[in-house]
Amino acid sequence: CPAEPSVKVTVLCGLPKGDKTDYIIQKSVEAGAEEILFFNSDRCVARPDKPEKKLERWQRIAEEAAKQSGRGRIPKVGPVQNLNECDFSGFDAVLIAYEDEEKTTLKQALRKAFGEEKGKSDEGGNDIAIIIGPEGGFEPTEVESVLKNSPAAKSVSLGKRILRTETAGMAMLAMLMYELEG
């Protein structure tokens, strides 16, 4: 399908409160995400009793968004897990949007990981995880843990402003697709 991106992007987002999950899923699918995962971390505001019950609904939202945007595949919405349990070993790049990152921008990290040429490989192999913090932000130890446990991980800045969790994922995904796909 021509609407499918040449890169596979998994969006991992701190579990937000309210119906923000619906918006994150819908917009991430429209922008080209391959998979959407929510995680619990120290500063997550939302603590639903049984988030697994929402999986069916979330998957339906992903299916509707995929149809609306002309996607050839329906992205998967995975179960909620703890950030420290996430496995990043299968990714070529793991990019954490971190409000305290002062040196590395998303653009710099992408160019370092995939070279100056946009969309480095049409053969696949460009598997990227983007990690967006919860509404309360990341604990510094959480970012350090991801960076330590994944050689492909890099913390990145999305600019001078701190974005809401539902905005940051979309902004990061859009910038990534622009940079790698043109």
Side-chain angles (χ1 to χ4, degrees):
C1 175
E4 286 303 314
S6 61
V7 294
K8 293 179 180 177
V9 181
T10 299
V11 176
L12 294 99
C13 187
L15 189 62
K17 62 185 175 188
D19 61 355
K20 293 176 186 174
T21 53
D22 299 0
Y23 180 82
I24 291 166
I25 293 165
Q26 184 183 55
K27 300 308 174 196
S28 294
V29 169
E30 289 175 13
E34 177 80 12
E35 184 173 16
I36 300 104
L37 302 170
F38 293 100
F39 62 83
N40 284 311
S41 65
D42 290 344
R43 294 187 188 172
C44 277
V45 177
R47 299 283 182 191
D49 291 337
K50 298 183 180 181
E52 61 277 356
K53 285 189 171 186
K54 296 184 179 197
L55 267 179
E56 187 176 314
R57 180 170 174 270
W58 290 346
Q59 194 61 54
R60 219 175 25 253
I61 291 167
E63 183 176 350
E64 291 167 5
K67 287 178 183 176
Q68 185 276 324
S69 58
R71 299 276 306 263
R73 286 190 297 254
I74 299 168
K76 179 183 179 231
V77 181
V80 176
Q81 51 192 326
N82 290 322
L83 179 60
N84 60 2
E85 296 171 354
C86 294
D87 178 17
F88 301 112
S89 62
F91 294 100
D92 299 312
V94 178
L95 305 169
I96 307 169
Y98 186 41
E99 64 271 14
D100 289 340
E101 177 58 52
E102 296 176 357
K103 296 177 185 172
T104 307
T105 65
L106 176 62
K107 184 176 186 175
Q108 290 168 334
L110 288 171
R111 292 202 171 171
K112 184 173 182 182
F114 296 103
E116 291 292 323
E117 294 179 30
K118 294 181 180 189
K120 178 185 170 194
S121 170
D122 292 331
E123 305 153 7
N126 291 342
D127 292 336
I128 303 167
I130 61 174
I131 306 173
I132 307 300
E135 289 154 313
F138 284 114
E139 285 288 342
T141 55
E142 293 172 327
V143 175
E144 290 168 14
S145 177
V146 172
L147 295 173
K148 180 181 155 194
N149 294 323
S150 174
K154 193 85 168 148
S155 68
V156 298
S157 168
L158 298 182
K160 297 177 183 178
R161 290 164 294 286
I162 295 176
L163 305 174
R164 292 178 177 266
T165 192
E166 67 270 24
T167 308
M170 260 313 302
M172 190 172 186
L173 187 55
M175 287 185 262
L176 185 145
M177 290 298 183
Y178 173 80
E179 188 65 28
L180 294 180
E181 292 197 322

